[in-house]
Amino acid sequence: MTTSVHSTACPLDCPDSCSLDVTVDDGRVVKLDGNHVNPLTSGFICSKVRGFHRHLYGEHRLLHPKVRVGPKGSGEFRRVSWDEALDRVASKMARVRDQHGGEAILPFSYGGSNGLVSQDTTDARLFRRLGSARLARTVCAAATSRAVQGLYGKMTGVAFDDYRHAELIVVWGANPSASGIHLVPLIRDAQKAGVKLMVVDPRRTPLAKAADLHLPLRPGTDLPLALALIHQLFERGEADLGFLREHATGADELRRRASRWELDRAAATCGLELADVETFLRLYAESSPAVIRVGWGQERNRNGGSATAAILALPAVAGKLGVRGGGYTASNSAAWKGFDKDAVIGEPETETRIVNMNRLGRELLAEDPTTRLLFVYNANPAVTLPRQDLVLRGLAREDLFTVVFEQVMTDTAKYADVLLPATAFPEHHDLRGSYGAYAFQILRPVADAAGESRPNAEVFEDLVHRLGLDRGGDVPADAIPEALLAQDALDDDQRSELRASGHTAPSFGRNPVQFVDVFPKTPDRKVHLVPPDLDAEAPGGLYGYADDREEPAAPLTLISPATAKTISSTLGQLSNKPARLDLHPEDAARRGIHSGDTVKIWNEFGAIRVKARVTEEVRTGVVSLAKGLWLHNTEGGATASLFAPDTYTDLGGGACFNDAKVEVAKA
């Protein structure tokens, strides 16, 4: 037995991007641990990655190409060679393109856990040259991204380790204890030094329990809360008018729109105590530096884009920018923009039809379906999309040819006509820029590929060749990492550091100060508080509030937060535990429900059965069922996605998971 330790990095969909030491015995991973190459991650990693070898070598791992032999969804397949599988896929792609047009082919991927090489390189080359439909990847972060882009041009944010310089930390719509764990000890240390902590979240998360103030607002009411705070900052003379004159546009219009929201009205709408909202306002106005960690929980409803925009406007209105430890942190992915993917794809994007991924079910079940071939990779739509009932029915269409290129036998993979086994991150090359930590890292293949699994870039390159879509000058799959690193997105010093250690920092360093080291990437380098394009996009205009209480609906709001066990649905195959619904004691008492009871959850889209847990960790009127569950975790063959409407957020066409309304009863 030959044992060795190799350095790589974690690309899974988390803000932190841990640097890793991977112990390998005879080509197999036996241990994953953190190292100190990425300064933020400090040598420790989450339990998800520490146990990742169970994902690599568990019973669900796909080891060979397969083709379907049973009914759709049965999971009955026979093993075939790669040549037979890819010939079958290429032949079907050519037939669909010739008979129905390229737009009848729909590539479906999300890829939050992929890097620059494993998504949007040779796959984009293939689908662009086929003239395929395009996918709007909007299931997560769409509304928040639109808001950040509109107001600040995706200016990068306060570094997590600069939170210690703040007097006040606000965590709004995020739960670092489940995703992005390295922020938690930094906040704990800051608290020990006297920094105040406020958390805005419908649940009593671990940080909420330790906070100086927790505001458990009703899901979907973040917008009224933020606007009421803005209104009072102006009214009480605590807005930084000098900063706004010099560095912002639209301040007067924002003030006018926020004036509709007095504190008492906002408190009533949010289901909060007025005194707590007053405390929030006072602490935020008086504290400097003050930083807001903006997550993604606040975007998962019809008001999500405007809510995020209003939260992001607060640091500008209150004058919290321009000092270390002051401002906001959202996604820091913009620190790594500048890589020219089109140069390695070798094919410009064409104006083919666009399918919003949140309406995949409707797309597949259209009366005269346009989509005849579905190619799923880096995604598990059977359990992650709204209107799960429609998605599952659509996947079951016998006339739909479905290819699933995946690491494990997901719930989606069971519906495939052809299954292709993909490598996991310890088994292939990639490049990854973090969206939380200021770290860009190289991922190296440190273990043998399990079975016959192959990397994304290699397989899509093979399909390009089989379909006769090669062109002279195409960058080969194995040359893509170096082709990207050779671009001017990184300077010579960064490239040298990256090649030496596997890690580098942005050109502005690891600890930028907003409005000192980094500025808005808007054309005038100002904050646009009421951007015209966002104002035109949002129904009723930006900052307009749609109150779901005005509609007839079931009395409980279902939320589906991330957990410490999965990354979206990744790793969901490793848990066979029955799902658990959290509900408040008052809501449980009204329904005669006790912890441990089996309960039925339902709305007009369907019903499932799960176990109940009665807890004050959720507020009244809210029930919580974890994100990332698989179909085997419930009775009824569905997850929380079943209950979510496929309506869109006000900005970006995002998913409205927290607009799910349900009823619950003892089964």
Side-chain angles (χ1 to χ4, degrees):
M1 181 176 292
T2 303
T3 302
S4 54
V5 179
H6 306 268
S7 177
T8 187
C10 175
L12 298 181
D13 195 356
C14 162
D16 295 359
S17 291
C18 293
S19 54
L20 302 175
D21 280 339
V22 182
T23 304
V24 177
D25 277 346
D26 288 342
R28 288 172 61 94
V29 173
V30 295
K31 182 181 179 183
L32 295 99
D33 208 343
N35 63 34
H36 293 267
V37 173
N38 179 355
L40 173 72
T41 60
S42 303
F44 75 93
I45 60 175
C46 68
S47 61
K48 306 173 196 180
V49 176
R50 192 172 296 282
F52 198 74
H53 59 282
R54 298 188 298 140
H55 175 83
L56 292 173
Y57 309 118
E59 61 179 322
H60 293 84
R61 186 73 195 268
L62 296 176
L63 301 175
H64 312 284
K66 297 180 180 182
V67 297
R68 177 169 67 95
V69 295
K72 279 283 183 82
S74 67
E76 298 175 25
F77 300 92
R78 68 174 175 87
R79 178 178 171 179
V80 297
S81 68
W82 268 103
D83 278 338
E84 180 178 343
L86 292 181
D87 280 345
R88 185 176 297 210
V89 173
S91 174
K92 187 66 174 180
M93 282 182 159
R95 192 177 313 125
V96 168
R97 177 197 58 192
D98 295 344
Q99 294 179 357
H100 303 283
E103 291 180 327
I105 298 170
L106 177 61
F108 191 97
S109 62
Y110 184 72
S113 292
N114 286 272
L116 293 177
V117 178
S118 54
Q119 184 157 301
D120 295 333
T121 55
T122 57
D123 52 324
R125 181 183 297 165
L126 170 68
F127 293 119
R128 289 181 184 183
R129 290 179 183 174
L130 283 168
S132 301
R134 292 173 292 163
L135 185 75
R137 295 175 179 145
T138 52
V139 75
C140 180
T144 296
S145 293
R146 286 288 290 140
V148 175
Q149 179 68 47
L151 269 69
Y152 290 93
K154 291 196 173 180
M155 177 175 69
T156 51
V158 179
F160 293 152
D161 55 353
D162 272 347
Y163 280 37
R164 68 183 185 274
H165 297 292
E167 289 185 3
L168 173 68
I169 298 169
V170 180
V171 177
W172 197 323
N175 180 17
S177 300
S179 178
I181 61 172
H182 297 86
L183 181 56
V184 175
L186 297 175
I187 291 177
R188 302 284 196 198
D189 289 345
Q191 286 183 285
K192 292 175 184 176
V195 177
K196 299 290 186 183
L197 172 66
M198 295 195 298
V199 174
V200 184
D201 197 297
R203 299 185 306 141
R204 290 184 66 222
T205 62
L207 280 180
K209 293 175 184 177
D212 296 277
L213 179 66
H214 172 216
L215 295 180
L217 79 180
R218 290 180 55 246
T221 63
D222 306 79
L223 175 59
L225 176 59
L227 289 177
L229 296 172
I230 290 169
H231 172 48
Q232 289 303 312
L233 287 169
F234 279 113
E235 288 300 297
R236 301 184 184 191
E238 293 172 315
D240 190 334
L241 300 182
F243 178 89
L244 293 174
R245 280 192 297 270
E246 184 175 356
H247 295 292
T249 67
D252 290 341
E253 182 59 18
L254 172 62
R255 181 175 187 174
R256 186 186 70 80
R257 298 187 189 196
S259 66
R260 307 166 189 163
W261 289 98
E262 298 292 345
L263 287 186
D264 56 352
R265 180 186 174 206
T269 301
C270 298
L272 298 172
E273 296 293 331
L274 177 58
D276 288 342
V277 179
E278 288 273 12
T279 300
F280 189 160
L281 175 64
R282 177 180 56 79
L283 284 174
Y284 189 67
E286 294 175 355
S287 301
S288 184
V291 62
I292 300 177
R293 171 54 168 140
V294 184
W296 293 268
Q298 78 288 337
E299 75 162 12
R300 293 159 64 93
N301 65 86
R302 67 191 71 189
N303 302 301
S306 290
T308 303
I311 296 165
L312 291 169
L314 278 165
V317 172
K320 304 304 181 185
L321 298 155
V323 294
R324 188 167 300 283
Y328 71 85
T329 312
S331 170
N332 288 329
S333 59
W336 310 110
K337 297 296 183 186
F339 288 95
D340 183 3
K341 282 292 196 74
D342 283 348
V344 298
I345 294 168
E347 187 73 27
E349 188 171 37
T350 53
E351 295 298 317
T352 56
R353 73 187 183 103
I354 297 175
V355 176
N356 187 306
M357 68 191 313
N358 293 310
R359 289 192 174 164
L360 178 65
R362 292 196 195 195
E363 168 69 20
L364 298 181
L365 293 175
E367 186 172 335
D368 182 17
T370 301
T371 297
R372 305 291 178 138
L373 189 152
L374 180 70
F375 198 119
V376 180
Y377 61 110
N378 305 340
N380 187 11
V383 295
T384 57
L385 297 182
R387 287 304 306 270
Q388 187 178 39
D389 57 326
L390 301 184
V391 174
L392 293 176
R393 282 171 50 202
L395 290 173
R397 266 178 48 201
E398 284 290 340
D399 66 329
L400 175 70
F401 189 85
T402 301
V403 183
V404 177
F405 185 19
E406 181 56 87
Q407 298 167 17
V408 298
M409 180 63 78
T410 64
D411 288 317
T412 303
K414 294 175 183 177
Y415 289 88
D417 292 282
V418 176
L419 268 177
L420 304 175
T423 49
F425 77 82
E427 301 166 339
H428 60 233
H429 282 283
D430 216 331
L431 303 170
R432 177 70 167 181
S434 171
Y435 62 92
Y438 283 115
F440 187 91
Q441 300 186 89
I442 292 177
L443 279 71
R444 299 180 175 91
V446 298
D448 295 340
E452 298 180 54
S453 59
R454 294 183 181 178
N456 285 16
E458 176 185 310
V459 170
F460 286 112
E461 180 179 56
D462 195 325
L463 285 170
V464 168
H465 178 69
R466 288 171 193 264
L467 283 156
L469 299 174
D470 309 80
R471 293 184 184 168
D474 281 347
V475 178
D478 59 5
I480 288 174
E482 280 302 318
L484 289 169
L485 291 179
Q487 295 178 357
D488 59 8
L490 301 176
D491 60 32
D492 289 341
D493 289 341
Q494 288 173 305
R495 278 190 287 269
S496 296
E497 182 182 21
L498 191 63
R499 291 192 171 104
S501 68
H503 168 277
T504 193
S507 56
F508 51 71
R510 303 182 197 279
N511 299 86
V513 176
Q514 293 175 314
F515 282 86
V516 174
D517 304 305
V518 293
F519 292 85
K521 296 183 179 180
T522 53
D524 57 4
R525 301 220 309 178
K526 292 185 176 182
V527 187
H528 295 175
L529 295 171
V530 188
D533 56 337
L534 299 194
D535 199 32
E537 180 180 348
L542 190 64
Y543 306 122
Y545 176 63
D547 191 343
D548 62 8
R549 294 181 301 176
E550 298 172 358
E551 302 174 2
L556 297 171
T557 298
L558 174 70
I559 61 174
S560 48
T563 75
K565 301 296 184 183
T566 62
I567 303 97
S568 188
S569 72
T570 302
L571 307 180
Q573 81 277 12
L574 300 177
S575 174
N576 290 315
K577 292 182 179 179
R580 185 189 72 191
L581 181 77
D582 286 353
L583 69 167
H584 191 274
E586 291 181 18
D587 295 319
R590 292 190 190 103
R591 294 162 176 81
I593 295 171
H594 300 88
S595 288
D597 287 345
T598 298
V599 295
K600 175 185 175 183
I601 316 168
W602 78 92
N603 67 9
E604 66 268 34
F605 306 141
I608 61 175
R609 287 175 170 79
V610 298
K611 295 293 184 181
R613 185 180 79 132
V614 179
T615 174
E616 293 186 350
E617 291 182 4
V618 292
R619 59 160 292 134
T620 55
V622 174
V623 291
S624 175
L625 186 64
K627 175 183 177 182
L629 296 172
W630 284 28
L631 300 182
H632 65 256
N633 294 124
T634 73
E635 296 179 29
T639 67
S641 299
L642 171 66
F643 305 109
D646 59 0
T647 50
Y648 294 152
T649 54
D650 55 344
L651 300 177
C656 294
F657 289 105
N658 288 355
D659 281 346
K661 302 296 180 182
V662 300
E663 183 52 280
V664 178
K666 189 172 179 178

